[in-house]
Structure formats: C-alpha cells, structure tokens
Amino acid sequence: MKNIFLPIIAILVVFCCSCIEDGIDTSPASQPVFSVDTLDMGVTFTGQPTPTSRFTVRNPHSKILSISRISLRDGADKRFRLNVDGFAGTEFNNVEIRPNDSIYVFVEATLPVNSSAALSECTSLLDFTTNGVTRSVVLLARGQDVDRRHGAVITADTVWTPEYPFQIFDSLVVAPGATLTLRPGVTLHFHDKAYMRIYGSLLTEGTTEAPVQMCGDRTGNVVGSISFDLMASQWEGVHFAPESRDNRLSHTSIRNTVAGIVADSLSQVSFLNCRLRNSAGYALTARYADISLTGTEVAEASSGVMALMGGNITVNHCTIANYYLFSALGGEAVQFYHWNNESDNGSGMPLMSASFSNTVIYGNGTDLSEGDFSGADIYFRRCALKSAGDDDGNFINCLWDTDPLYGTIREEYLFDYRLREGSPLIGAADPSLTLPEAATDSYGVNRLPQPSIGAYQMMFPEEE
C-alpha cells in the first residue's frame, strides 16, 4: 500500500526549512549595531574584580549576520575578561545573530595596583569583524587604589586621612578608651557583612566641601540606572556600644546598611549636617541613648526611619522621610518605645525625654507611631507633619498635613530632600528655635534670619 503521507511530510520539511533558513548576509555594508560606543565600567578598586558590565550587539538586518571574529585587539591584555552570548573566552569565531535579534557581551576587569592616590585609566579595544569590516567598542575602566583593612582594631587614639579610600573587611572596632578621628574627605567602603563597632569614641570631621562617607564597596549600577548607592544591605552598619561617649559626627553620610546606626544603652552620639539613609532595617535606632540630631537627613529605611527607646533625644532642623524603594514599609517613620507608663518595658531605665523642633516628618506611610503624648516629656515645636491633627500641649505651632514638596522623584530614583519652589516650609521655621550649631545647612547655606523647616535651607534646583 502506498504511503500517501510521505509526500506531504517532505513538503512540510522543505517548507519549514525554508522558513527557518534566512541565509547569511555577506554584504560588507551589513554590520551589527552596538548599544554603546564606549563601555564605561566606572571607578573600581584595583587588585580585585570589577562588577560585571554588559552591552548588546544587535542585528538590524533581514538575514543572519555572522561575526567572524570577536577579540581584544591586544590579545595579551589580561585585565579584561569576556563572555559572549553565554560563552567565556578570549576570542570568539563565527558568532551568528539572527535577523532583528541581539546578543549580550559581558565584561569584567581586574586593574593593576597604581601605587598612587590618583585614578588610573585603563582602556582596551574589543574588535568585531563582520564581512571583512572591523568595528570596535572601547572598554574603559578607572582604577582606585585603596587601603584595605581586615578585622581592624583601634586600640589607641588614631587619625585616618583621605589620601586613599579605606576598604573594610570583616570589622572595624574602636576599643574602649581609644578615639578614631576621620579627617575631612575620608571614605570608608565596607565589604559584605562588615560592620563598625565603637566602644571608645568616633569623631568625624567632614565639611561641606569634603564630607566623610561610610558606604558599601559595590560600584556602578545594579541594573539599568539603579545605582548600588541606592541599595541597602551591603554592610551591617555602625554600632555604638553601651556607654560609648563623646561621639561627634559632622557632615557624614552613612548608607547602604542592614541595620543602620544603633546607639546602645547610655551611649552618647551627636550628628551635625549628616545623612543617614538606605537601610534594610532602621536608619537610626537609639536605646536609652543620648542622641542629638542637627541639620540631619534621616531617610529611606524598610522598618521605619527611627526607632527611639527611652533616652534623651534632641532633633533640630532635621528632615525625616521615607520613600524606601525595595520593600513595603514595615512601620511608622518615627517609632517611640519606653516613653510613658503604659509603654514602660520594666528595664528600670528613665522614660524618654525628646524635643523635635523646626523639623519635617513626611514620606510614604505614617509619620509617628503615637498621636497623643499627653503627660510625656516629648515635644514637637514648629514641626511639619504628614498627619492631620491639631496643636496641644505637646505639639506647638506645628504645620499639619503639609506636603513639603521635596525634590524627590521616586520613579526616577532621585532622592533629594531639598525643598522645591513654592514649598510651604520655605522660611517657615521659628528662628528662636534654631540652635547655634544649626546656623548653616550641610551645603553651607546660612539659615538665618529666615530659616526653613527641615535640614536644608538651600532649595532644590528646578530644571530650566
């Protein structure tokens, strides 16, 4: 019996093959399109691998493009490492890209130590030869030498200067009786799971022109335009141990942490014109501590911005805000514990004494964990709040339900808490409540004679 299906199968095979086979474009005019001319890998630390960067190679034509060779022009250049379309190597041959499709090229680098505080610039050309024509993408990375510290313990008074950034592995501990002083411009980069613990004292001497920085050691972008600088959980954070005294932080940014800053029992810490932000927990936790926050931004934390348990708290000309990106908010911006008889936790420690003045508390979620502080030693004087409420014996001359019009644009990953033109907070502070140390903001702008509510007197620069 004749099999009538064989001719049909043969026709289908021919038809399918003709659909799949687009042919290879051999015209020298047909070339791939690169998503970048120069792959800028940013600044990275010398002597260790960079984060992986990538770009795309697209075929915009109607036939298959066969790239006969992809290779670094200087084949002996071992600084850069390649992965093309899922395959690692140093040279790639006959890489095909189907019509209107693309491939990824991933690049890593390890840059040599400079033995210099200056940045070194490393470039290489990645050549793509297609149909006899060679075109190139420039690979660019800048290397920064760092002072690496592993499990560092400061046992005597010590001063660190900013010639090189510091990279902290494991821990940085200031022993009892010792003081670590960080001069203007010092940057501490903490590796994954590293932490800082102060039993003695910490002094940071940042300025408007040269702030002190404490942050993670990841550079570049996580994905797209989202910078690692926005990401929490890169290192553990700063812990002021019980009875650590005389800690004074000026013009200092502490960010990218798991637990933010923790000030433990009877510790004493003052913050002047600082930025405490981007924490997977709280940005600031104070347990029966003596805390002074002046001209300081406290923002972006998953659990809530501040958790205050007992202690003596002074907050003057601060901006407390929460537009945390990467999870739902776990609680109110400012949370109060051990502040009245009902919240007494039986620790035997004194109840909280707190003064908030010329301060704004506004962001996503609720601003305060409590609404009635009757009988407590907690006062809000000339503060701007998200809540809709009324003045009483604890809330004095406040601005209720008042949008400060921050410069922040969350959807564009812009977190600038200066005030936009037209903000009701501009010039609205009570100058009699401005502490002497709050006379200028972190940008060096004088607040007086007509201060604004919040950390910033300088306004957000509107786009022209």
Side-chain angles (χ1 to χ4, degrees), residues 2 11 22 36 76 85 89 92 97 116 148 155 179 182 193 213 240 323 329 336 353 390 404 431:
K2 186 176 179 179
I11 292 170
D22 299 295
V36 296
D85 201 25
F92 307 84
I97 309 177
S116 168
R148 291 185 172 89
T155 58
T179 298
L182 305 181
K193 296 182 176 59
Q213 311 273 351
F240 293 94
Y323 291 91
L329 300 182
F336 296 87
S353 174
D390 297 295

Side-chain angles (χ1 to χ4, degrees), residues 39 48 117 129 152 178 180 202 215 228 268 275 295 308 323 331 340 360 374 381 413:
L39 182 67
Q48 67 184 51
T129 301
L180 174 61
L202 174 67
C215 54
F228 272 109
Q268 179 188 58
R275 289 185 174 92
L308 307 176
Y323 291 91
N340 64 2
V360 54
S374 298
R381 298 179 176 90
Y413 312 114

Side-chain angles (χ1 to χ4, degrees), residues 245-267:
R245 312 293 289 176
D246 299 321
N247 298 288
R248 298 188 298 277
L249 283 67
S250 176
H251 294 78
T252 298
S253 174
I254 303 176
R255 58 190 187 273
N256 313 133
T257 63
V258 172
I261 298 95
V262 177
D264 236 324
S265 302
L266 304 180
S267 61

